């Protein structure tokens, strides 16, 4: 039986989790004080995902600036480098509003990258 130790990021408690696995399947999760810990641990050891944040340049604004962007949803952890590679090619035209899609289907994940800052 394999044992993995994690620190939960599901809530501010930061519980120390112990996940027991057998043949790639989660057998038990312990150490969590809420249901979010159990959900986080099971997902993290079987299919880890992350929200990716970055910046992209804006053209046509008063100042040549960069705006912050993020994936609209979490993507598989093993797609992060492909996501960043795709973002290197992106330049957006002003005006840009919070929530605008700046890149569709990043790294073929089905997830869009959206603006998290305004640029006028």
């Amino acid at each position: 039986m394999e044992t993995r130790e994690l620190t939960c990021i599901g809530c501010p408690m930061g519980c120390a989790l112990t996940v027991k696995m057998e043949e790639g399947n989660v057998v038990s999760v312990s150490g969590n004080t809420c249901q979010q810990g159990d959900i986080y641990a099971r997902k993290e050891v079987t299919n880890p995902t992350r929200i990716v944040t970055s910046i992209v340049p804006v053209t046509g604004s008063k100042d040549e600036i960069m705006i912050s962007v993020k994936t609209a949803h979490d993507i598989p952890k093993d797609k992060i480098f492909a996501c960043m590679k795709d973002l290197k090619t992106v330049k957006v035209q002003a005006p840009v509003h919070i929530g605008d899609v700046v890149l569709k289907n990043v790294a073929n994940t089905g997830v869009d990258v959206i603006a998290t800052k305004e640029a006028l």
Side-chain angles (χ1 to χ4, degrees):
M1 184 170 297
E2 178 187 356
T3 301
R4 301 226 3 228
E5 304 290 330
L6 305 170
T7 300
C8 183
I9 60 170
C11 79
M13 293 290 292
C15 297
L17 305 175
T18 301
V19 182
K20 294 190 180 199
M21 300 178 66
E22 194 167 297
E23 298 179 10
N25 296 314
V26 176
V27 175
S28 68
V29 175
S30 60
N32 55 306
T33 56
C34 69
Q35 184 63 26
Q36 288 179 358
D38 185 78
I39 294 167
Y40 168 76
R42 290 174 188 277
K43 185 175 177 186
E44 185 64 16
V45 298
T46 58
N47 183 30
T49 60
R50 301 288 185 271
I51 289 188
V52 177
T53 61
S54 188
I55 56 175
V56 296
V58 177
T59 59
S61 66
K62 293 181 249 177
D63 303 310
E64 291 295 316
I65 61 169
M66 304 287 275
I67 60 162
S68 55
V69 296
K70 73 176 191 101
T71 53
H73 304 283
D74 48 349
I75 64 170
K77 190 175 173 183
D78 64 357
K79 295 282 191 170
I80 292 173
F81 288 109
C83 174
M84 294 305 293
K85 183 178 178 184
D86 287 357
L87 282 171
K88 278 185 173 183
T89 67
V90 173
K91 287 185 180 178
V92 293
Q93 179 68 38
V96 180
H97 301 285
I98 295 172
D100 285 356
V101 174
V102 300
L103 181 60
K104 288 191 154 299
N105 189 25
V106 67
N108 293 316
T109 60
V111 176
D112 296 337
V113 175
I114 59 172
T116 59
K117 183 178 178 182
E118 303 265 332
L120 305 173

